[in-house]
Amino acid sequence: MLFRRSFVGVLAWLAATPASAHGPTPSGGKAGDPAKVTRTIEVVAIDNAFSLKALDVRDGETVRFVVRNDGMDPHELTVGTVAEHAEHRKLMKEMMELQKKGGHAGHSMADMAHAGGVWVDPGKTASFVWAFKRTANLEFACNIPGHYEDGMKGPIRFVK
Ligand SMILES: [Cu+2]
């Protein structure tokens, strides 16, 4: 129980920095203008799955993701390429290991902010607006260790 509580604490700490202002230039688009939203994508997260399995979008489309967490664990939904998600998972794992050793990590969630996304604590709903730009190998995913591997991911396909 104690382990579980500290684990969740680390996850909350990882989420403390907004994933929009820093980090490498995101792929797949950019934070969108709420006034230009043409579609709302509602997603329910459980432990460990998304209700959304795949997403079709148009180049230039601005959507609002609304993510509700019906699980017991925190989840995230981020947009990025397959390679970016792999990098994100690696950093997240490293940071959690550092925290477990009691060290203070030299970098923050901002360093992982490769793309748009949102963190959702259990029982909460969170949203973000994203303007898509045609990009190969784009997907949505939760990169909390083990979750992506459980299937918390899906392809984002660009239709004409
Ligand atoms: Cu998750």
Side-chain angles (χ1 to χ4, degrees), residues 24-30 79-82 84 113-116 130-139 158:
T25 308
S27 296
K30 58 180 170 44
V79 172
T81 63
V82 171
E84 286 167 338
H114 63 287
W130 190 251
F132 280 102
K133 179 170 180 273
R134 186 181 292 274
T135 303
N137 301 318
L138 205 62
E139 61 181 8
F158 286 80

Side-chain angles (χ1 to χ4, degrees), residues 88-139:
H88 188 172
R89 281 198 299 287
K90 206 177 115 212
L91 285 171
M92 213 179 242
K93 208 172 272 180
E94 281 169 9
M95 290 180 75
M96 289 176 64
E97 272 155 23
L98 269 176
Q99 286 293 297
K100 258 187 261 172
K101 288 179 195 154
H104 197 79
H107 52 187
S108 73
M109 186 68 180
D111 296 307
M112 307 180 186
H114 63 287
V118 76
W119 181 279
V120 199
D121 284 321
K124 304 285 192 205
T125 297
S127 69
F128 70 105
V129 174
W130 190 251
F132 280 102
K133 179 170 180 273
R134 186 181 292 274
T135 303
N137 301 318
L138 205 62
E139 61 181 8

